[in-house]
Amino acid sequence: MLIFDPMDNCTRIFADSRQINICRNVVKEHQQAFTDLSQVVALAGNEVRLKILFLLTQEKELCPCDLSDILDMTIPAVSQHLRKLKDGGVIRSRKSGQTVFYSVDPSQITLLQPFFQIIQEPLIEVRA
Amino acid sequence: MLIFDPMDNCTRIFADSRQINICRNVVKEHQQAFTDLSQVVALAGNEVRLKILFLLTQEKELCPCDLSDILDMTIPAVSQHLRKLKDGGVIRSRKSGQTVFYSVDPSQITLLQPFFQIIQEPLIEVRA
DNA sequence: TAAGCATTTAAGCAACTGCTTAAATATATT
DNA sequence: AATATATTTAAGCAGTTGCTTAAATGCTTA
């Protein structure tokens, strides 16, 4: 009787077990970078948050209320996105009176720039 | 009696309603680009898929079985990620016998490159 | 054509996401 | 102090995600 074992590797011809091992090591070596980066990229992968990051880049800083107006969303909804971005280290905040101004954390601009170049261009094909 | 209306805009001093309107228009103008881009970025925002994209970039092409070995995951789990990436137009596939080779769609390399530069660098701070 | 291998598909599910509404907090104004 | 304003927090929830396991598909070779 054959028991299902999904971790059984296939016995393909092309497999280069030495190269496979090199890859395993590279992935292991950069494990933390993959975790950190995917977390930031996942934050930017939400349409609302991508817009927020774009707007903060363009306008230097904005408050939750501005963003609520621009994006036509409730303030709590915006605020929760801002919190995630802040927790992820993608944006900063500055308080002035009862207004809180958010801006992109300078250390993240390099990562985000390529996205906004794509946005700004006259719609080059994003999907092949 | 005051009814809760979260869409009520605040009456802040700093608000520049002209500038707010410009922003609204920019967002509306690029709406499709935001939708398309966020979809692709969301795909890359999953740690497993980010690794897959990285590996495909490095190795030119890999089959689900290779990736299963490298990432130490079941083949169905890998296959489901590959399908999402394929559906999103981020990767391509080529069939050779019973083996399917996946590779990054050339049109997406520009977008992905900045990620992998970060991965490859000796861990510059991803989060501030 | 039967058996084996690589891959895909599908059902089931626990965990996560992002919204809504309501209430709380913090600052400003009267 | 009382009221108003800007923001945050929290509970509740519908929808989505990503895994597991099992079964199906598709190609290859005996």
Side-chain angles (χ1 to χ4, degrees):
Chain A
M1 200 245 270
L2 220 121
I3 296 165
F4 173 76
D5 181 357
M7 291 316 279
D8 255 359
N9 298 336
C10 47
T11 58
R12 64 207 178 283
I13 324 163
F14 302 107
D16 177 349
S17 66
R18 196 183 121 278
Q19 189 60 25
I20 295 287
N21 251 311
I22 291 174
C23 287
R24 289 173 67 104
N25 289 334
V26 171
V27 169
K28 192 179 283 177
E29 197 179 323
H30 295 295
Q31 177 56 51
Q32 196 57 55
F34 279 116
T35 303
D36 292 348
L37 180 60
S38 68
Q39 223 161 300
V40 174
V41 174
L43 286 169
N46 172 282
E47 186 172 325
V48 171
R49 286 193 296 264
L50 190 64
K51 286 177 183 172
I52 289 176
L53 292 172
F54 173 81
L55 289 164
L56 293 182
T57 302
Q58 277 222 148
E59 302 299 315
K60 302 273 193 294
E61 54 179 21
L62 290 167
C63 62
C65 198
D66 287 333
L67 288 165
S68 161
D69 286 355
I70 297 168
L71 298 172
D72 206 25
M73 292 178 63
T74 67
I75 290 182
V78 168
S79 179
Q80 282 158 25
H81 282 298
L82 289 170
R83 180 153 65 116
K84 288 191 178 184
L85 290 170
K86 181 115 187 280
D87 289 349
V90 188
I91 63 174
R92 304 175 147 182
S93 66
R94 168 178 83 82
K95 199 161 189 177
S96 167
Q98 47 186 342
T99 305
V100 178
F101 288 100
Y102 286 94
S103 56
V104 174
D105 190 296
S107 71
Q108 304 293 336
I109 290 175
T110 315
L111 180 64
L112 298 175
Q113 213 59 60
F115 298 160
F116 303 142
Q117 277 169 6
I118 288 170
I119 296 283
Q120 293 289 25
E121 276 161 30
L123 288 178
I124 59 162
E125 36 183 42
V126 167
R127 47 177 58 201
Chain B
M1 201 246 267
L2 220 122
I3 297 165
F4 173 76
D5 179 358
M7 290 317 279
D8 255 2
N9 298 336
C10 47
T11 57
R12 66 209 178 280
I13 324 162
F14 302 106
D16 177 350
S17 66
R18 197 184 119 278
Q19 190 60 26
I20 296 288
N21 250 311
I22 289 173
C23 288
R24 290 174 65 106
N25 288 334
V26 171
V27 170
K28 191 178 287 178
E29 198 179 322
H30 296 294
Q31 177 55 51
Q32 195 57 54
F34 279 115
T35 303
D36 292 347
L37 180 59
S38 68
Q39 223 161 299
V40 174
V41 174
L43 287 169
N46 173 281
E47 187 173 325
V48 172
R49 285 192 297 263
L50 190 64
K51 286 177 182 171
I52 290 175
L53 291 172
F54 172 80
L55 289 163
L56 293 182
T57 302
Q58 277 221 150
E59 302 299 317
K60 302 276 191 297
E61 53 179 21
L62 290 167
C63 62
C65 198
D66 286 334
L67 288 166
S68 163
D69 287 354
I70 298 168
L71 299 173
D72 206 26
M73 292 179 61
T74 66
I75 290 182
V78 168
S79 179
Q80 281 159 27
H81 282 301
L82 289 170
R83 182 152 64 116
K84 288 191 180 188
L85 290 169
K86 181 115 186 281
D87 288 350
V90 187
I91 64 174
R92 302 175 150 184
S93 66
R94 169 177 82 82
K95 200 161 189 178
S96 169
Q98 46 186 342
T99 306
V100 178
F101 289 101
Y102 285 93
S103 56
V104 174
D105 190 296
S107 71
Q108 304 292 336
I109 290 175
T110 315
L111 180 64
L112 299 174
Q113 211 60 59
F115 298 160
F116 304 141
Q117 278 170 5
I118 288 170
I119 297 282
Q120 293 290 27
E121 277 160 30
L123 285 178
I124 60 161
E125 36 183 40
V126 168
R127 45 179 58 206

